[in-house]
Amino acid sequence: MASAFEPSLSSSLSGRQTLSATAPSMADSLPSINFGFDELRDRMAKFSAKFDAFIEQGRKRVLEERNQFRMNIAELQEDQRMKKKDMEILQHKTNTHQQMMSKEAAETREMQAAIASLSAQRDKNKAMRDALQQQIAETQKEIDARLAAQREHAKYVESQSRFNVPELDFWMQNLCLKIEGAGQTDRLKFVYTHIDEKNWEREAWFELSTSSKDYDVKHCRPKLEREKVDRVLERVNETRDLAVLLKGMRELFVEAMKS
C-alpha cells in the first residue's frame, strides 16, 4: 500500500515544484500534515511477515499433519497386515488342530477296535485254554487209568512168569512148538511142526499180539476160520491161560491140515 501512494506523492511534489517555480503555492501557506506512511509501511511489512510466517507455519503444520496421517495410515495398514497374518497363522493352527483331533479320533477308534478284537481273541483263547485243560485232565485220568491197568497186568504177567516158563517148556516139547519174534515188540510168532501126518516137517504158525490187555491173533498159516480163532481167544482172555491158546490153535491147525 505504501508503493500505491508513492506515485501520487511524487506527482504532487513535482507539481508543487513546478508551481513553486512558476508562482507561489498556496500549499506553502497550508499547515503540514503527517499521514504516517512510514508507520503504515512498517505495520504492513510486519503484517506481511506475520502473515507469511502464519502461512509457513500452516503449510508446515499441514505437511506435518499429512505426514503424520500417512504414517498413521501406514501403521494402520501394517497393523492390518500383521493382524491378517496372525489370523492366517491362527487359522492354520486351527486347521492343524482339527486335523490332529480328527487323526486322534480315528486312531482312538482304531485302538478301540483293536482292543475289542484282542478282548474277543483273549476270551476265545481263554475258552480254548479251559477246554484244553479239561481235555488234558481227562487225558491224564485216562493215562493214569491205563498206567494202573498196565501195572496190574505187568504184576500179573510177572506173577505168572514163574509158572509159564516150565509150563511153556512142557508145551514146546509136547506140542512140537517153537517161539520166534514177529518183527514187532508186541508180537510173538508160534510155529508148530508135526501137524501134517504126511509131512511132519511142515510148519503151521500164528502171530499173537500183546499190545492190549486181551490177546489177539493177527496172522496165521495155513489160514483158519476167524470165528473158530475168536472162540479160542475168548476162552484164553477169560482164563488168561496161555496153554488154552497153544492147545486150541494146534487143534485148529490139525483140523485144517486134515481138511
Side-chain angles (χ1 to χ4, degrees):
M1 294 179 66
S3 61
F5 287 101
E6 285 180 358
S8 62
L9 182 60
S10 299
S11 300
S12 177
L13 290 176
S14 64
R16 287 179 184 180
Q17 289 177 359
T18 305
L19 291 175
S20 64
T22 58
S25 175
M26 292 183 67
D28 294 336
S29 62
L30 294 173
S32 59
I33 299 173
N34 186 8
F35 288 97
F37 289 110
D38 294 336
E39 183 181 358
L40 181 61
R41 187 167 47 248
D42 291 338
R43 290 176 63 186
M44 291 297 293
K46 289 180 181 179
F47 176 77
S48 298
K50 288 182 179 180
F51 184 76
D52 292 340
F54 175 77
I55 295 300
E56 183 66 21
Q57 289 178 358
R59 187 178 66 83
K60 288 182 179 180
R61 186 170 64 251
V62 169
L63 290 175
E64 289 177 356
E65 289 178 354
R66 184 177 65 181
N67 293 333
Q68 185 64 35
F69 178 75
R70 289 179 178 176
M71 290 176 63
N72 292 335
I73 292 298
E75 289 178 358
L76 289 174
Q77 290 177 348
E78 181 65 18
D79 291 341
Q80 184 178 6
R81 188 182 66 82
M82 293 299 294
K83 289 181 178 179
K84 184 178 180 181
K85 186 175 180 180
D86 292 339
M87 290 177 65
E88 291 177 353
I89 294 173
L90 182 60
Q91 184 65 33
H92 178 70
K93 289 182 178 180
T94 302
N95 295 334
T96 303
H97 181 66
Q98 290 179 351
Q99 292 177 358
M100 290 180 63
M101 289 181 64
S102 299
K103 184 178 180 181
E104 289 178 355
E107 291 178 352
T108 301
R109 289 192 297 269
E110 291 179 358
M111 291 180 65
Q112 289 176 351
I115 290 172
S117 177
L118 290 174
S119 299
Q121 186 66 31
R122 180 199 60 190
D123 296 339
K124 182 178 179 181
N125 291 336
K126 184 178 179 180
M128 185 180 296
R129 181 196 63 187
D130 295 339
L132 288 175
Q133 287 179 348
Q134 184 178 1
Q135 185 177 359
I136 290 171
E138 293 176 355
T139 304
Q140 186 64 43
K141 290 180 180 179
E142 185 177 356
I143 291 173
D144 294 339
R146 290 188 178 184
L147 289 175
Q150 288 180 358
R151 285 193 293 269
E152 292 296 329
H153 181 66
K155 289 180 180 179
Y156 174 77
V157 171
E158 184 179 0
S159 62
Q160 293 294 324
S161 61
R162 295 175 298 162
F163 305 102
N164 289 338
V165 173
E167 185 177 1
L168 183 61
D169 291 338
F170 171 80
W171 289 109
M172 288 177 64
Q173 294 178 3
N174 288 275
L175 297 178
C176 298
L177 173 69
K178 61 180 179 179
I179 301 174
E180 298 177 353
Q184 298 183 21
T185 57
D186 58 351
R187 290 191 185 183
L188 293 174
K189 185 177 181 180
F190 295 86
V191 183
Y192 295 95
T193 57
H194 295 77
I195 297 296
D196 190 358
E197 295 179 353
K198 298 179 180 179
N199 184 3
W200 295 113
E201 300 299 326
R202 184 179 178 182
E203 294 182 349
W205 57 269
F206 70 93
E207 290 183 1
L208 179 66
S209 174
T210 61
S211 59
S212 61
K213 183 178 180 181
D214 294 335
Y215 296 123
D216 188 17
V217 174
K218 295 297 183 182
H219 304 286
C220 61
R221 288 291 183 276
K223 190 174 182 179
L224 302 175
E225 294 182 11
R226 188 64 199 183
E227 294 181 358
K228 295 180 179 180
V229 175
D230 289 339
R231 285 196 293 269
V232 174
L233 290 173
E234 185 178 356
R235 294 195 305 269
V236 172
N237 291 323
E238 288 178 357
T239 60
R240 310 302 298 177
D241 189 357
L242 186 59
V244 174
L245 174 65
L246 299 178
K247 184 178 180 181
M249 291 301 294
R250 180 178 178 83
E251 292 176 352
L252 293 179
F253 282 132
V254 171
E255 182 180 354
M257 292 292 184
K258 291 180 179 181
S259 61

